[in-house]
Amino acid sequence: MISQANGSARCRIGHLGLGTDVLVGIKAEVNTWAPGEPESLGSIVCNVECSPSAAQEFEGRGAEDLNVELTQTLDRMFNGPQSGIDMAKLCIIPKQAYWVLHVDALVLDVKGGIVDALVWATRAALLSTKLPRVVVESIADEDGNLQSEFDVVDDAEDQVAIEGVENLPLSVTFNQIGKRFVIDASEQEEAVTQASLTVAVSPKLEICAVQKGGFLRGFPPSLLSEIMQTARRVARDEFAKFKELYETAASNQMGDEPSTGSTFLGAF
């Protein structure tokens, strides 16, 4: 879908032009280790931007706060061991070099459910991501000390998937209206929402992250236990739906598409 990316995906809720539509691209680059950074871990850097054409209120600088909120939400879910990705496998040479995965998301249209659409697209994009194979060699210097060097193989046919990517979570967003909550809220329901909470759930149905929406009000404690139980139940069905749509999209890819493994998830 994005020819210059290592992986990409597009996710749409509803019909084209009438629903939420997001595009995510993954770009991998080798970063040089610096003191103070983890010695043997890679990194995932998330960034979300809402297109000014997605909604009237996004014109000018109207989407700045939402961009920050959505970026923080993705970062909390995907940048770290809670994502299920083996971050140690993204390290090339400890204290020398590691992979950084840049997750860049663009919101093309908004009609409700923006967080869950972003998570769906990010999960699909990371599943489709392929990294170039890296060859690490130990070379002796003039004093006989071994120094590690690496070479990134520039071959589109010699690439590998991200370790642990199958463990990536999906999210369930709860919107409080009155004394109860709804999931998969419509644009109209979001307009009267008093509080929102996004719960990330792993394929093993474990809660791996929780993010409060940008509302001053929070959920009452009496609802939190029910919310967590509901999140696990809903996530079970969402993972089955995701698997079906992802496999259908992968099987429909054209034979001449780039080997970066692009993906399109249709309306759900």
Side-chain angles (χ1 to χ4, degrees), residues 86-264:
D86 190 345
M87 305 299 284
K89 295 295 185 180
L90 295 178
C91 177
I92 298 173
I93 301 175
K95 301 179 69 173
Q96 185 170 331
Y98 60 92
W99 284 110
V100 177
L101 303 181
H102 293 275
V103 178
D104 293 306
L106 178 63
V107 179
L108 302 170
D109 206 353
V110 180
K111 295 294 186 293
I114 184 172
V115 174
D116 295 336
L118 279 168
V119 173
W120 270 64
T122 301
R123 188 176 198 269
L126 286 168
L127 278 168
S128 73
T129 297
K130 296 294 187 290
L131 301 178
R133 187 170 61 88
V134 178
V135 178
V136 179
E137 297 179 336
S138 295
I139 301 176
D141 59 19
E142 296 178 353
D143 299 324
N145 299 317
L146 292 179
Q147 301 291 333
S148 295
E149 296 184 357
F150 68 92
D151 182 43
V152 178
V153 179
D154 186 14
D155 183 355
E157 300 301 323
D158 194 3
Q159 299 181 333
V160 296
I162 302 170
E163 295 261 0
V165 73
E166 68 280 358
N167 300 318
L168 288 167
L170 286 176
S171 66
V172 183
T173 298
F174 297 82
N175 294 71
Q176 184 183 359
I177 302 175
K179 295 183 179 181
R180 297 300 298 167
F181 59 80
V182 298
I183 60 174
D184 194 20
S186 66
E187 188 177 19
Q188 291 76 19
E189 288 170 331
E190 288 185 350
V192 294
T193 290
Q194 299 162 304
S196 69
L197 192 72
T198 298
V199 181
V201 185
S202 74
K204 295 181 180 180
L205 303 183
E206 299 172 339
I207 305 298
C208 54
V210 177
Q211 180 73 24
K212 179 180 176 296
F215 294 86
L216 295 177
R217 182 173 174 178
F219 278 83
S222 59
L223 287 179
L224 291 179
S225 177
E226 183 181 355
I227 283 174
M228 298 305 166
Q229 293 177 8
T230 303
R232 292 187 177 95
R233 185 176 69 252
V234 173
R236 181 185 293 109
D237 296 333
E238 291 295 289
F239 276 110
K241 187 187 303 183
F242 180 97
K243 184 175 185 292
E244 178 183 356
L245 287 172
Y246 183 85
E247 291 178 349
T248 299
S251 65
N252 289 338
Q253 286 181 11
M254 301 298 291
D256 58 352
E257 287 214 9
S259 59
T260 51
S262 58
T263 307
F264 178 75

Side-chain angles (χ1 to χ4, degrees), residues 59-74:
E59 295 179 0
R61 303 176 64 179
E64 283 188 354
D65 291 343
L66 182 58
N67 289 342
V68 172
E69 179 186 335
L70 294 174
T71 296
Q72 290 176 342
T73 299
L74 284 190

Side-chain angles (χ1 to χ4, degrees), residues 33-56:
W33 179 84
E37 295 179 337
E39 296 182 358
S40 57
L41 297 177
S43 177
I44 297 177
V45 178
C46 300
N47 181 65
V48 180
E49 290 190 12
C50 296
S51 171
S53 63
Q56 185 175 358

